[in-house]
């Protein structure tokens, strides 16, 4: 079977996060695979220009090979040094593939994919670029052993924790953004976004936000950290009684001399709030396998799933 890979210009290229090009692998009227490409506004990695391959779908292995080969050719042609995928343009959007599924059901906002998709990327010459994990705390009575020392440290530094003020939601988003735009700058493949772009993502969660599960850390009324969690709505659809909270984001201003340990303190506050609300489990979701993430999570949670982001050097890559 011969697959023809056809480029398709997106209908609204000016839309937020719109791809630069769509690709579809077809044999006659049958679609075997498709993806989207970004090369205009993508992150850089070690000085290399990244081309992103996202919105990936494939039902046929040979179609996937043809699609990914053509995607890499087009990205190289446009001056990209490294093809990264699956990633919908940047890491604020959907990215990563599940590589170790475990026994837990998928949770809200988690990437899902058929077992065969990581092999599609490997066959096309991609290798894992970064690994991520989700960890489960199934016993919210377990507390981090460092808590007494951390509480004392941040009381002394006049750092306080409070919950989200839903009656001041837009202003709260601005406070959270002021932390995020600094806290995430060292994140892997970080891309800066505007407040409007940031707020649009969080506004979509407003209807399901539980204020007690959003923690804001302040020092002299200035936000210095936040954690954002929501109930797992997918679980609510499956089970008569909901058990699980998803800890989606933990962010702290990048000043280790002042705020080292604040993330662990906010995670504990989330566990306490979840237990008080009747939940019994918290998922620490989609963390990069850095030493810091592993250290924060290891005290109370056990890895339940692993993911990878893949990359392939392109012909145009500098030597």
């Amino acid at each position: 079977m011969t697959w023809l890979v056809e480029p398709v210009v997106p209908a609204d290229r000016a839309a937020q996060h719109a791809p630069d090009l769509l690709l579809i692998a077809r044999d006659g009227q049958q679609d075997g695979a498709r993806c989207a490409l970004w090369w205009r506004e993508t992150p850089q990695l070690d000085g290399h220009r990244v081309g992103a391959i996202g919105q990936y779908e494939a039902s046929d292995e040979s179609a996937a090979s043809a699609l990914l080969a053509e995607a890499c050719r087009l990205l190289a042609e446009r001056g990209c040094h490294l093809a990264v995928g699956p990633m919908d343009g940047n890491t604020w959007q959907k990215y990563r593939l599940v590589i170790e599924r475990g026994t837990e059901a998928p949770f809200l906002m988690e990437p899902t994919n058929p077992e065969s998709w990581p092999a599609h990327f490997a066959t096309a010459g991609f290798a894992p670029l970064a690994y991520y994990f989700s960890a489960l705390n199934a016993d919210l009575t377990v507390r981090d052993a460092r808590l007494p020392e951390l509480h004392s440290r941040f009381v002394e530094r006049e750092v306080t924790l409070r919950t989200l003020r839903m009656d001041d939601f837009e202003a709260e988003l601005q406070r959270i953004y002021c932390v995020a735009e600094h806290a995430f700058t060292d994140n892997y493949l970080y891309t800066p976004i505007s407040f409007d772009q940031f707020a649009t993502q969080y506004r979509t969660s407003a209807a399901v936000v539980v204020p007690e599960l959003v923690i804001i850390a302040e020092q002299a009324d200035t936000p210095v950290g936040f954690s954002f969690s929501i109930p797992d709505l997918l679980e609510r659809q499956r089970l008569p009684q909901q058990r699980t909270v998803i800890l989606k984001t933990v962010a702290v201003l990048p000043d280790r001399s002042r705020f080292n340990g604040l993330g662990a303190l906010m995670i504990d506050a989330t566990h306490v709030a979840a237990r008080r609300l009747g939940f019994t489990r918290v998922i620490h979701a989609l963390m990069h396998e850095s030493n810091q993430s592993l250290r924060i999570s290891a005290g109370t949670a056990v890895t339940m799933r692993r993911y990878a982001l893949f990359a392939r050097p392109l012909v145009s890559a500098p030597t």
Side-chain angles (χ1 to χ4, degrees), residues 181-239:
E181 67 173 337
H182 298 293
F184 297 150
T185 54
D186 290 333
N187 281 13
Y188 201 70
L189 291 172
Y190 172 76
T191 304
I193 61 173
S194 68
F195 170 71
D196 286 341
Q197 292 171 312
F198 177 85
T200 296
Q201 293 195 359
Y202 278 84
R203 286 187 194 112
T204 60
S205 303
V208 297
V209 164
V210 177
E212 294 88 345
L213 296 176
V214 182
I215 310 297
I216 298 177
E218 294 176 320
Q219 186 177 52
D221 296 324
T222 298
V224 297
F226 74 92
S227 65
F228 182 85
S229 307
I230 59 173
D232 182 4
L233 300 186
L234 289 185
E235 182 183 60
R236 183 183 295 176
Q237 297 171 9
R238 298 192 311 268
L239 301 176

Side-chain angles (χ1 to χ4, degrees), residues 44 119-120 173 191 199 233 246:
Q44 286 210 349
H120 292 176
L173 287 181
T191 304
L233 300 186
I246 304 164

Side-chain angles (χ1 to χ4, degrees), residues 113-135:
N113 54 267
E115 298 281 355
S116 59
W117 285 7
H120 292 176
F121 280 82
T123 300
F126 288 73
L129 176 68
Y131 291 102
Y132 305 82
F133 71 103
S134 293

Side-chain angles (χ1 to χ4, degrees), residues 244-265:
T244 307
V245 164
I246 304 164
L247 178 57
K248 182 178 181 292
T249 307
V250 179
V252 177
L253 290 182
D255 186 340
R256 291 184 61 83
S257 64
R258 290 196 296 161
F259 303 124
N260 186 36
L262 184 55
L265 201 62

Side-chain angles (χ1 to χ4, degrees), residues 34 38 40 58 82 114 118 167 178 185 192 208-209 216 225 287 300 309 313 317:
R34 61 176 59 220
W38 288 260
R40 288 189 173 89
L82 191 69
D167 59 353
C178 287
T185 54
V208 297
V209 164
I216 298 177
M287 295 177 288
T300 57
L309 183 65

